[in-house]
Amino acid sequence: MRIVDLRSDTVTKPTPRMREAMMSAEVGDDGFREDPTVNKLEEIAAKKLGKEAALFVSSGTMGNLIAIMVHTRQGDGVICDRRSHLNMLTGGGTSAIAGVTTCPIGVDTQGRLDLDELVSNIRPNDMRFPRTTLIVFENTNNLAGGTVITTQDTKELVSIANKYGLHLHLDGARIFNSAVAQGVDPKELTKGCDSVMFCLTKGLASPIGAILAGPEDFIIEARRKRKLLGGGTRQAGVIAACGIISLEEMIDRLAEDHKNARFLAEGLSKIDGFTLNLSTVQTNIVCFNLKLSGLSCKDFIKKLKDNSVLAVHMEGSFGRMVTHKDVNADDIAYALERIEETVDEAKQTNARREKSYSQESVT
Ligand code: TLP
Protein backbone atom coordinates (compact mmCIF):
# COMPACT_ATOMS: atom_id res chain seq x y z
CA MET A 1 0.00 0.00 0.00
CA ARG A 2 1.30 3.45 -0.92
CA ILE A 3 1.90 5.58 2.17
CA VAL A 4 3.08 9.18 2.07
CA ASP A 5 4.75 9.85 5.39
CA LEU A 6 4.80 13.57 6.11
CA ARG A 7 5.05 13.32 9.91
CA SER A 8 8.63 14.54 9.98
CA ASP A 9 11.92 14.57 8.09
CA THR A 10 13.14 12.28 10.90
CA VAL A 11 11.46 9.38 9.04
CA THR A 12 14.10 9.46 6.30
CA LYS A 13 15.92 6.17 5.75
CA PRO A 14 19.70 5.98 5.30
CA THR A 15 20.82 6.10 1.66
CA PRO A 16 22.51 3.11 -0.04
CA ARG A 17 25.83 5.02 0.18
CA MET A 18 25.31 5.35 3.94
CA ARG A 19 24.72 1.63 4.31
CA GLU A 20 27.92 0.91 2.40
CA ALA A 21 29.83 3.48 4.45
CA MET A 22 28.64 1.80 7.68
CA MET A 23 30.06 -1.49 6.47
CA SER A 24 33.45 -0.14 5.59
CA ALA A 25 33.93 2.55 8.27
CA GLU A 26 37.30 2.62 9.99
CA VAL A 27 36.62 2.54 13.73
CA GLY A 28 38.32 2.73 17.12
CA ASP A 29 37.40 3.42 20.74
CA ASP A 30 35.99 6.94 20.85
CA GLY A 31 36.42 6.88 24.65
CA PHE A 32 40.15 7.23 23.85
CA ARG A 33 39.37 9.63 20.97
CA GLU A 34 40.62 6.88 18.67
CA ASP A 35 37.73 6.55 16.26
CA PRO A 36 39.06 8.14 13.06
CA THR A 37 35.60 8.37 11.47
CA VAL A 38 34.09 10.17 14.47
CA ASN A 39 37.11 12.49 14.59
CA LYS A 40 36.72 13.25 10.89
CA LEU A 41 32.98 13.95 11.22
CA GLU A 42 33.60 16.31 14.16
CA GLU A 43 36.29 18.15 12.20
CA ILE A 44 34.16 18.56 9.07
CA ALA A 45 31.16 19.69 11.13
CA ALA A 46 33.14 22.28 13.12
CA LYS A 47 34.58 23.69 9.91
CA LYS A 48 31.18 23.91 8.21
CA LEU A 49 29.78 25.87 11.15
CA GLY A 50 32.84 28.09 11.59
CA LYS A 51 33.47 26.82 15.12
CA GLU A 52 36.71 25.62 16.72
CA ALA A 53 35.49 22.17 17.70
CA ALA A 54 32.52 19.82 17.59
CA LEU A 55 31.13 16.82 19.43
CA PHE A 56 29.12 13.94 18.01
CA VAL A 57 26.09 13.28 20.23
CA SER A 58 23.22 10.79 20.06
CA SER A 59 20.41 13.24 19.37
CA GLY A 60 19.45 16.85 19.03
CA THR A 61 17.79 16.67 22.44
CA MET A 62 21.06 15.52 23.99
CA GLY A 63 23.04 18.22 22.15
CA ASN A 64 20.77 21.00 23.41
CA LEU A 65 20.73 19.58 26.94
CA ILE A 66 24.53 19.38 27.07
CA ALA A 67 24.81 22.95 25.80
CA ILE A 68 22.49 24.13 28.57
CA MET A 69 24.41 22.14 31.19
CA VAL A 70 27.68 23.75 30.08
CA HIS A 71 26.34 27.30 29.86
CA THR A 72 24.32 27.35 33.10
CA ARG A 73 24.33 26.45 36.77
CA GLN A 74 21.37 24.88 38.58
CA GLY A 75 18.71 27.46 39.32
CA ASP A 76 19.56 29.61 36.30
CA GLY A 77 16.96 30.77 33.79
CA VAL A 78 16.95 30.13 30.04
CA ILE A 79 14.98 32.36 27.69
CA CYS A 80 13.45 30.54 24.71
CA ASP A 81 10.52 30.51 22.34
CA ARG A 82 7.27 29.32 23.92
CA ARG A 83 6.78 26.77 21.12
CA SER A 84 10.42 25.72 20.89
CA HIS A 85 11.49 22.10 21.00
CA LEU A 86 13.33 22.97 24.19
CA ASN A 87 10.22 24.23 25.93
CA MET A 88 7.71 21.71 24.62
CA LEU A 89 9.28 18.48 23.50
CA THR A 90 12.15 17.40 25.73
CA GLY A 91 10.12 15.46 28.27
CA GLY A 92 10.98 18.09 30.86
CA GLY A 93 14.70 17.26 30.61
CA THR A 94 15.75 20.87 30.92
CA SER A 95 14.42 21.16 34.45
CA ALA A 96 14.77 17.49 35.41
CA ILE A 97 18.41 17.14 34.39
CA ALA A 98 19.97 20.57 33.86
CA GLY A 99 18.06 21.98 36.85
CA VAL A 100 17.22 25.26 35.14
CA THR A 101 13.92 27.00 34.53
CA THR A 102 12.82 28.01 31.06
CA CYS A 103 11.41 31.45 30.55
CA PRO A 104 9.31 31.04 27.42
CA ILE A 105 8.56 34.12 25.31
CA GLY A 106 6.71 34.84 22.06
CA VAL A 107 7.91 35.01 18.48
CA ASP A 108 6.61 36.98 15.51
CA THR A 109 4.95 35.32 12.49
CA GLN A 110 8.39 34.66 11.02
CA GLY A 111 9.57 32.78 14.12
CA ARG A 112 11.87 35.52 15.44
CA LEU A 113 12.03 35.98 19.21
CA ASP A 114 10.22 39.11 20.30
CA LEU A 115 13.22 41.25 21.25
CA ASP A 116 11.30 43.61 23.57
CA GLU A 117 9.84 40.66 25.46
CA LEU A 118 13.28 39.06 25.53
CA VAL A 119 14.95 42.07 27.10
CA SER A 120 12.14 42.58 29.59
CA ASN A 121 12.52 38.95 30.71
CA ILE A 122 16.20 39.23 31.55
CA ARG A 123 15.97 39.07 35.33
CA PRO A 124 17.73 41.68 37.44
CA ASN A 125 20.47 40.47 39.74
CA ASP A 126 18.30 39.70 42.74
CA MET A 127 18.48 36.52 44.79
CA ARG A 128 14.74 35.92 44.42
CA PHE A 129 14.99 35.47 40.64
CA PRO A 130 16.54 32.74 38.57
CA ARG A 131 19.76 34.15 37.15
CA THR A 132 19.16 34.63 33.43
CA THR A 133 22.26 33.21 31.78
CA LEU A 134 21.24 31.83 28.40
CA ILE A 135 19.13 32.54 25.33
CA VAL A 136 18.20 29.64 23.05
CA PHE A 137 16.70 30.14 19.59
CA GLU A 138 15.82 27.86 16.68
CA ASN A 139 16.91 28.27 13.06
CA THR A 140 14.83 27.12 11.24
CA ASN A 141 12.01 27.74 13.66
CA ASN A 142 10.15 24.44 13.55
CA LEU A 143 6.70 25.26 14.89
CA ALA A 144 6.63 28.74 13.39
CA GLY A 145 6.49 26.84 10.09
CA GLY A 146 10.15 26.08 9.38
CA THR A 147 10.90 29.78 9.02
CA VAL A 148 14.44 30.99 8.49
CA ILE A 149 16.27 33.29 10.85
CA THR A 150 18.53 35.62 8.87
CA THR A 151 22.09 36.75 9.52
CA GLN A 152 20.71 40.14 10.52
CA ASP A 153 18.21 38.60 12.98
CA THR A 154 21.05 36.57 14.50
CA LYS A 155 23.24 39.67 14.81
CA GLU A 156 20.50 41.36 16.82
CA LEU A 157 20.34 38.41 19.23
CA VAL A 158 24.13 38.34 19.50
CA SER A 159 24.20 42.02 20.35
CA ILE A 160 21.56 41.61 23.10
CA ALA A 161 23.41 38.59 24.49
CA ASN A 162 26.67 40.56 24.52
CA LYS A 163 25.08 43.64 26.06
CA TYR A 164 23.59 41.67 28.98
CA GLY A 165 26.44 39.16 29.33
CA LEU A 166 24.31 36.15 28.36
CA HIS A 167 25.28 33.02 26.45
CA LEU A 168 23.56 32.37 23.13
CA HIS A 169 22.83 28.81 21.98
CA LEU A 170 21.50 28.08 18.52
CA ASP A 171 19.21 25.08 18.19
CA GLY A 172 20.03 24.66 14.53
CA ALA A 173 18.41 21.23 14.20
CA ARG A 174 17.69 22.27 10.57
CA ILE A 175 20.39 24.91 10.09
CA PHE A 176 21.28 23.59 6.63
CA ASN A 177 17.67 23.96 5.49
CA SER A 178 17.93 27.56 6.57
CA ALA A 179 21.27 28.12 4.82
CA VAL A 180 20.10 26.49 1.58
CA ALA A 181 16.80 28.41 1.58
CA GLN A 182 18.61 31.71 2.07
CA GLY A 183 21.56 30.90 -0.16
CA VAL A 184 24.01 31.79 2.62
CA ASP A 185 26.98 30.00 4.14
CA PRO A 186 25.87 28.34 7.42
CA LYS A 187 28.86 30.05 9.09
CA GLU A 188 27.05 33.35 8.61
CA LEU A 189 24.08 32.02 10.56
CA THR A 190 26.14 30.76 13.49
CA LYS A 191 28.44 33.78 13.83
CA GLY A 192 28.47 35.14 17.38
CA CYS A 193 26.54 32.17 18.82
CA ASP A 194 28.40 30.54 21.70
CA SER A 195 27.26 27.09 20.66
CA VAL A 196 25.29 25.42 17.90
CA MET A 197 23.51 22.09 17.65
CA PHE A 198 22.36 20.55 14.39
CA CYS A 199 20.73 17.20 13.62
CA LEU A 200 22.11 14.68 11.16
CA THR A 201 18.89 12.66 11.28
CA LYS A 202 16.38 15.05 9.76
CA GLY A 203 16.61 16.16 6.12
CA LEU A 204 20.21 14.95 6.11
CA ALA A 205 18.95 11.36 6.48
CA SER A 206 21.48 9.82 8.90
CA PRO A 207 20.03 7.13 11.16
CA ILE A 208 21.46 8.50 14.43
CA GLY A 209 23.22 11.58 15.67
CA ALA A 210 23.60 15.28 16.04
CA ILE A 211 26.51 17.68 16.36
CA LEU A 212 27.24 20.21 19.06
CA ALA A 213 29.82 22.81 18.10
CA GLY A 214 31.54 25.73 19.79
CA PRO A 215 34.89 26.90 21.15
CA GLU A 216 37.47 24.27 22.13
CA ASP A 217 37.01 24.78 25.90
CA PHE A 218 33.21 24.55 25.55
CA ILE A 219 33.55 21.22 23.71
CA ILE A 220 35.95 19.83 26.35
CA GLU A 221 33.29 20.52 28.96
CA ALA A 222 30.52 19.24 26.66
CA ARG A 223 32.42 15.95 26.25
CA ARG A 224 32.47 15.62 30.06
CA LYS A 225 28.71 16.25 30.26
CA ARG A 226 28.04 13.75 27.48
CA LYS A 227 29.91 11.15 29.56
CA LEU A 228 27.92 12.12 32.65
CA LEU A 229 24.69 11.52 30.73
CA GLY A 230 25.88 8.08 29.66
CA GLY A 231 26.25 9.30 26.11
CA GLY A 232 29.89 8.36 25.60
CA THR A 233 30.48 6.12 22.60
CA ARG A 234 32.97 3.48 21.49
CA GLN A 235 33.17 2.38 17.83
CA ALA A 236 30.69 5.05 16.80
CA GLY A 237 32.44 5.41 13.43
CA VAL A 238 29.82 3.08 11.98
CA ILE A 239 27.22 5.78 12.44
CA ALA A 240 29.53 8.79 12.11
CA ALA A 241 30.28 7.48 8.59
CA CYS A 242 26.67 8.27 7.70
CA GLY A 243 27.04 11.73 9.23
CA ILE A 244 29.96 12.43 6.89
CA ILE A 245 27.79 11.48 3.91
CA SER A 246 25.01 13.70 5.28
CA LEU A 247 27.38 16.65 5.23
CA GLU A 248 29.03 15.84 1.94
CA GLU A 249 26.05 14.73 -0.14
CA MET A 250 22.73 15.58 1.43
CA ILE A 251 22.79 19.34 1.94
CA ASP A 252 22.27 20.73 -1.57
CA ARG A 253 19.29 18.45 -2.24
CA LEU A 254 17.34 20.08 0.62
CA ALA A 255 16.23 22.66 -1.98
CA GLU A 256 14.08 19.93 -3.52
CA ASP A 257 12.30 19.35 -0.17
CA HIS A 258 11.63 23.09 0.02
CA LYS A 259 10.08 23.08 -3.45
CA ASN A 260 7.88 20.12 -2.51
CA ALA A 261 6.80 21.85 0.71
CA ARG A 262 5.68 24.87 -1.29
CA PHE A 263 3.75 22.63 -3.69
CA LEU A 264 2.11 20.92 -0.71
CA ALA A 265 1.30 24.20 1.05
CA GLU A 266 -0.22 25.78 -2.05
CA GLY A 267 -2.32 22.67 -2.60
CA LEU A 268 -3.49 22.56 1.02
CA SER A 269 -4.40 26.23 1.01
CA LYS A 270 -6.97 25.47 -1.71
CA ILE A 271 -8.67 22.70 0.28
CA ASP A 272 -11.73 23.60 2.36
CA GLY A 273 -11.07 23.88 6.08
CA PHE A 274 -7.29 24.44 5.82
CA THR A 275 -5.78 27.78 6.78
CA LEU A 276 -2.09 28.43 6.19
CA ASN A 277 0.21 31.38 6.31
CA LEU A 278 2.04 30.75 3.04
CA SER A 279 4.67 33.34 3.93
CA THR A 280 6.00 30.98 6.60
CA VAL A 281 6.57 28.14 4.15
CA GLN A 282 10.24 28.86 3.54
CA THR A 283 11.84 25.44 3.95
CA ASN A 284 10.48 21.88 4.30
CA ILE A 285 7.83 22.40 6.98
CA VAL A 286 4.14 23.12 6.42
CA CYS A 287 2.17 24.15 9.50
CA PHE A 288 -1.57 24.52 9.13
CA ASN A 289 -4.81 25.05 11.01
CA LEU A 290 -7.69 22.79 10.18
CA LYS A 291 -11.27 23.55 11.09
CA LEU A 292 -14.02 21.24 9.83
CA SER A 293 -17.47 21.01 11.32
CA GLY A 294 -17.97 17.80 13.21
CA LEU A 295 -14.32 16.66 13.06
CA SER A 296 -11.36 17.92 15.06
CA CYS A 297 -7.93 18.33 13.49
CA LYS A 298 -6.70 15.47 15.66
CA ASP A 299 -9.43 13.10 14.42
CA PHE A 300 -8.94 14.26 10.85
CA ILE A 301 -5.27 13.31 11.02
CA LYS A 302 -6.27 9.89 12.39
CA LYS A 303 -8.68 9.43 9.45
CA LEU A 304 -6.05 10.60 7.01
CA LYS A 305 -3.85 7.76 8.15
CA ASP A 306 -6.44 5.28 6.85
CA ASN A 307 -6.27 7.18 3.56
CA SER A 308 -2.48 6.69 3.21
CA VAL A 309 -1.17 10.06 4.39
CA LEU A 310 0.64 10.54 7.68
CA ALA A 311 0.78 13.95 9.35
CA VAL A 312 1.24 15.19 12.91
CA HIS A 313 -1.32 16.84 15.16
CA MET A 314 0.32 19.48 17.38
CA GLU A 315 -2.45 21.05 19.45
CA GLY A 316 -6.04 22.23 18.91
CA SER A 317 -6.55 22.89 15.21
CA PHE A 318 -2.79 23.05 14.60
CA GLY A 319 -1.08 20.35 12.53
CA ARG A 320 2.18 19.86 10.64
CA MET A 321 3.49 18.12 7.54
CA VAL A 322 7.16 17.90 6.59
CA THR A 323 8.79 17.06 3.26
CA HIS A 324 12.01 15.08 2.94
CA LYS A 325 14.10 12.96 0.60
CA ASP A 326 11.77 9.96 0.78
CA VAL A 327 8.81 11.83 -0.75
CA ASN A 328 8.85 13.35 -4.23
CA ALA A 329 6.54 15.74 -6.09
CA ASP A 330 4.43 12.83 -7.32
CA ASP A 331 3.91 11.66 -3.72
CA ILE A 332 2.83 15.17 -2.76
CA ALA A 333 0.30 15.30 -5.62
CA TYR A 334 -1.03 11.92 -4.46
CA ALA A 335 -1.16 13.10 -0.82
CA LEU A 336 -3.11 16.21 -1.82
CA GLU A 337 -5.69 14.07 -3.61
CA ARG A 338 -6.08 11.83 -0.58
CA ILE A 339 -6.37 14.82 1.76
CA GLU A 340 -9.08 16.37 -0.40
CA GLU A 341 -10.96 13.07 -0.47
CA THR A 342 -10.72 12.78 3.31
CA VAL A 343 -12.12 16.30 3.71
CA ASP A 344 -15.00 15.44 1.35
CA GLU A 345 -15.75 12.23 3.28
CA ALA A 346 -15.72 14.18 6.54
CA LYS A 347 -18.10 16.77 5.12
CA GLN A 348 -20.49 14.09 3.85
CA THR A 349 -20.47 12.29 7.20
CA ASN A 350 -21.20 15.55 8.94
CA ALA A 351 -24.01 16.43 6.53
CA ARG A 352 -25.60 12.99 7.11
CA ARG A 353 -25.25 13.44 10.88
CA GLU A 354 -26.83 16.88 10.79
CA LYS A 355 -29.66 15.61 8.59
CA SER A 356 -30.43 12.75 10.98
CA TYR A 357 -30.35 15.16 13.96
CA SER A 358 -32.81 17.48 12.26
CA GLN A 359 -35.10 14.55 11.40
CA GLU A 360 -34.91 13.34 14.99
CA SER A 361 -35.89 16.77 16.26
CA VAL A 362 -38.89 16.89 13.85
CA THR A 363 -40.24 13.48 14.90
N1 TLP B 1 12.11 17.59 16.24
C1 TLP B 1 11.27 16.48 15.86
C2 TLP B 1 10.31 16.04 16.98
O1 TLP B 1 10.95 15.73 18.12
C3 TLP B 1 9.28 17.09 17.26
C4 TLP B 1 10.46 16.89 14.65
O2 TLP B 1 9.79 15.99 14.11
O3 TLP B 1 10.49 18.06 14.28
N2 TLP B 1 15.39 20.91 17.99
C5 TLP B 1 14.45 21.01 17.05
C6 TLP B 1 14.15 22.35 16.46
C7 TLP B 1 13.76 19.88 16.62
O4 TLP B 1 12.82 20.01 15.71
C8 TLP B 1 14.08 18.63 17.19
C9 TLP B 1 13.36 17.37 16.80
C10 TLP B 1 15.09 18.57 18.14
C11 TLP B 1 15.72 19.73 18.54
C12 TLP B 1 15.50 17.26 18.80
O5 TLP B 1 16.18 16.41 17.96
P1 TLP B 1 16.21 14.83 18.22
O6 TLP B 1 14.91 14.29 17.72
O7 TLP B 1 17.38 14.37 17.43
O8 TLP B 1 16.38 14.63 19.66
Side-chain angles (χ1 to χ4, degrees):
M1 189 174 149
R2 185 176 185 181
I3 299 280
V4 184
D5 192 345
L6 300 171
R7 286 172 301 172
S8 181
D9 42 10
T10 57
V11 303
T12 42
K13 305 261 165 60
T15 64
R17 288 258 304 119
M18 288 180 180
R19 291 185 187 269
E20 280 165 30
M22 281 189 224
M23 286 284 290
S24 56
E26 234 186 286
V27 296
D29 189 340
D30 185 47
F32 295 108
R33 309 282 307 276
E34 281 174 7
D35 188 302
T37 313
V38 170
N39 294 343
K40 183 174 167 195
L41 170 64
E42 290 176 345
E43 244 169 67
I44 298 175
K47 214 180 215 172
K48 271 210 183 297
L49 296 177
K51 298 293 173 198
E52 270 174 23
L55 180 69
F56 184 43
V57 293
S58 309
S59 65
T61 305
M62 181 185 266
N64 284 338
L65 177 62
I66 292 175
I68 292 170
M69 290 169 81
V70 177
H71 288 310
T72 62
R73 283 166 295 180
Q74 285 197 327
D76 283 0
V78 177
I79 297 180
C80 61
D81 167 6
R82 196 165 286 125
R83 272 185 164 174
S84 59
H85 186 273
L86 183 69
N87 192 46
M88 288 180 59
L89 297 160
T90 58
T94 317
S95 56
I97 305 172
V100 298
T101 55
T102 48
C103 173
I105 63 167
V107 293
D108 65 10
T109 55
Q110 300 301 304
R112 295 175 290 216
L113 289 173
D114 179 324
L115 299 185
D116 292 333
E117 205 183 339
L118 194 168
V119 170
S120 67
N121 276 282
I122 298 171
R123 301 291 175 219
N125 187 5
D126 177 317
M127 67 177 180
R128 291 171 302 170
F129 297 126
R131 221 186 309 239
T132 306
T133 39
L134 176 65
I135 306 168
V136 177
F137 72 108
E138 290 184 9
N139 191 4
T140 63
N141 188 321
N142 182 1
L143 296 189
T147 50
V148 303
I149 305 301
T150 64
T151 311
Q152 183 52 35
D153 301 330
T154 310
K155 269 190 194 151
E156 285 169 25
L157 287 172
V158 170
S159 96
I160 292 176
N162 288 343
K163 181 169 171 192
Y164 293 93
L166 310 179
H167 295 291
L168 183 64
H169 172 68
L170 166 56
D171 175 349
R174 297 181 178 85
I175 193 68
F176 293 104
N177 291 83
S178 183
V180 166
Q182 298 184 72
V184 298
D185 189 315
K187 289 192 216 52
E188 295 301 314
L189 301 174
T190 63
K191 219 182 247 173
C193 298
D194 297 304
S195 52
V196 187
M197 182 285 290
F198 76 84
C199 293
L200 291 159
T201 55
K202 302 206 157 55
L204 302 184
S206 274
I208 306 175
I211 293 286
L212 180 61
E216 194 80 57
D217 56 347
F218 168 85
I219 292 298
I220 290 172
E221 204 45 39
R223 200 175 286 283
R224 179 176 274 274
K225 300 291 186 213
R226 185 185 68 171
K227 183 74 184 166
L228 182 152
L229 293 171
T233 55
R234 301 299 179 189
Q235 290 72 26
V238 284
I239 47 175
C242 298
I244 294 173
I245 293 180
S246 284
L247 292 180
E248 288 179 350
E249 297 178 12
M250 305 302 288
I251 295 177
D252 292 345
R253 64 150 308 286
L254 294 173
E256 207 178 302
D257 299 342
H258 300 172
K259 211 165 127 201
N260 287 335
R262 181 127 287 268
F263 175 33
L264 173 65
E266 281 170 3
L268 284 180
S269 69
K270 294 186 190 112
I271 299 177
D272 246 13
F274 279 89
T275 327
L276 284 91
N277 179 351
L278 285 175
S279 81
T280 65
V281 185
Q282 299 166 6
T283 57
N284 66 329
I285 295 179
V286 179
C287 286
F288 58 85
N289 280 284
L290 177 62
K291 286 191 179 141
L292 290 170
S293 19
L295 193 66
S296 68
C297 176
K298 188 175 179 186
D299 288 337
F300 177 85
I301 284 172
K302 271 194 207 150
K303 263 196 186 314
L304 196 56
K305 187 176 174 196
D306 301 328
N307 273 349
S308 309
V309 181
L310 307 185
V312 161
H313 171 247
M314 290 294 173
E315 57 190 18
S317 63
F318 178 32
R320 188 192 75 167
M321 296 182 189
V322 183
T323 57
H324 51 79
K325 80 154 179 67
D326 294 335
V327 292
N328 58 28
D330 192 51
D331 294 319
I332 300 295
Y334 176 75
L336 284 168
E337 277 169 28
R338 308 304 314 218
I339 294 165
E340 200 159 9
E341 267 170 39
T342 315
V343 169
D344 287 345
E345 279 166 25
K347 283 205 275 194
Q348 281 164 20
T349 312
N350 193 51
R352 275 198 299 274
R353 194 182 304 127
E354 282 185 353
K355 199 170 161 200
S356 76
Y357 280 154
S358 65
Q359 279 170 349
E360 270 170 32
S361 58
V362 169
T363 52

